[in-house]
Amino acid sequence: MSLKEKLCKDGEIAEVVKDVSRLIAKNFWSVVESFEELESEVAVVLLEKKPNLCKKGEINLSLLSMVVRNALIDKFFRSKKLNELAFSEFEEEGSSFDAVDKKELPPLSLINVNEAIRKVKETLSESEIETLCYYLYSVLYRKEENPFLKEKSKDAKYKAWSRLKPKISEILSPFDFSEEEMKLFARNFLSEFLRKTRSN
């Protein structure tokens, strides 16, 4: 029986709940008292999301884990959406945006970041991608010459980013990035387009 069949068929969800719970357990030990309690929380989320998930063509464990993880982060940890603050916080003078913690992020975080990068690339136009790269470069490498939007005036660059910022926040909203995930997103997204810029 496929994962989708286990999720969508009545009475077969228990195994899916256990698998998802194992994957996300280390993220939630501080807020649940036992693995059984975590399984209960996971089951509630999966049952709530089940109608929409079962409409999808394909379902894999990574997707289910991301959906549940984000829902539980909202429930237990997030008093305000980080994505609403992410860019404005990193814009502050003396930001430690480039001081990324060297510790490895959990696999689910990497999945989250990679999925967000794919979504941004699919949604934005070429000019919007360059504007985002300009912003990220200006924050990560403040003292270096920015290779993006070279043809635009300072005022035009500012206006371009001001227009794009709400759209970026909306795209990233479902991913509920932590600060470390936001940093990883910025570095990985920018590095891909920096390679393209330098090869031209």
Side-chain angles (χ1 to χ4, degrees):
M1 187 181 296
S2 71
L3 182 62
K4 184 173 182 179
E5 288 170 333
K6 290 176 185 176
L7 175 68
C8 301
K9 189 175 178 182
D10 289 340
E12 299 293 334
I13 199 173
E15 188 178 337
V16 180
V17 168
K18 196 172 289 292
D19 289 342
V20 172
S21 298
R22 285 195 195 101
L23 274 177
I24 68 170
K26 64 182 177 182
N27 300 111
F28 298 100
W29 284 138
S30 63
V31 292
V32 296
E33 293 184 0
S34 65
F35 188 74
E36 289 72 25
E37 184 182 342
L38 178 61
E39 284 185 307
S40 297
E41 295 288 350
V42 170
V44 168
V45 174
L46 286 178
L47 289 170
E48 179 186 328
K49 307 286 187 184
K50 180 177 171 179
N52 287 333
L53 287 168
C54 291
K55 291 176 186 175
K56 293 182 178 290
E58 290 184 23
I59 294 176
N60 57 48
L61 207 51
S62 296
L63 171 66
L64 294 183
S65 299
M66 184 178 74
V67 168
V68 172
R69 175 180 171 273
N70 287 345
L72 295 185
I73 285 173
D74 275 344
K75 177 175 180 178
F76 290 118
F77 297 119
R78 207 167 298 280
S79 58
K80 55 185 177 180
K81 300 288 186 184
L82 260 172
N83 61 282
E84 292 176 3
L85 301 171
F87 293 111
S88 58
E89 286 179 352
F90 294 142
E91 283 169 353
E92 291 174 5
E93 195 63 38
S95 167
S96 59
F97 191 58
D98 55 341
V100 178
D101 196 331
K102 297 301 181 185
K103 69 182 179 183
E104 287 190 15
L105 289 173
L108 283 175
S109 290
L110 302 179
I111 292 168
N112 215 21
V113 167
N114 289 337
E115 179 63 19
I117 289 173
R118 183 189 66 78
K119 183 71 174 176
V120 169
K121 285 161 59 179
E122 283 180 356
T123 307
L124 299 188
S125 66
E126 281 189 28
S127 63
E128 288 173 327
I129 286 174
E130 187 175 7
T131 299
L132 178 57
C133 287
Y134 166 80
Y135 166 75
L136 295 175
Y137 195 96
S138 69
V139 175
L140 285 171
Y141 309 107
R142 293 177 186 274
K143 297 179 181 179
E144 297 181 22
E145 182 181 355
N146 199 315
F148 300 101
L149 301 184
K150 283 186 172 182
E151 310 300 315
K152 292 184 179 288
S153 67
K154 186 175 181 179
D155 187 52
K157 292 171 184 175
Y158 175 79
K159 286 179 179 176
W161 170 243
S162 296
R163 287 193 300 269
L164 181 60
K165 186 175 176 180
K167 186 173 182 178
I168 294 295
S169 291
E170 183 179 348
I171 295 169
L172 295 183
S173 176
F175 296 95
D176 284 334
F177 280 155
S178 68
E179 184 179 354
E180 289 303 320
E181 287 170 336
M182 187 68 236
K183 291 174 182 177
L184 184 63
F185 168 84
R187 285 194 312 164
N188 288 3
F189 186 87
L190 184 58
S191 66
E192 178 178 341
F193 290 96
L194 269 174
R195 285 195 298 272
K196 291 180 181 178
T197 299
R198 287 164 181 164
S199 64
N200 291 338

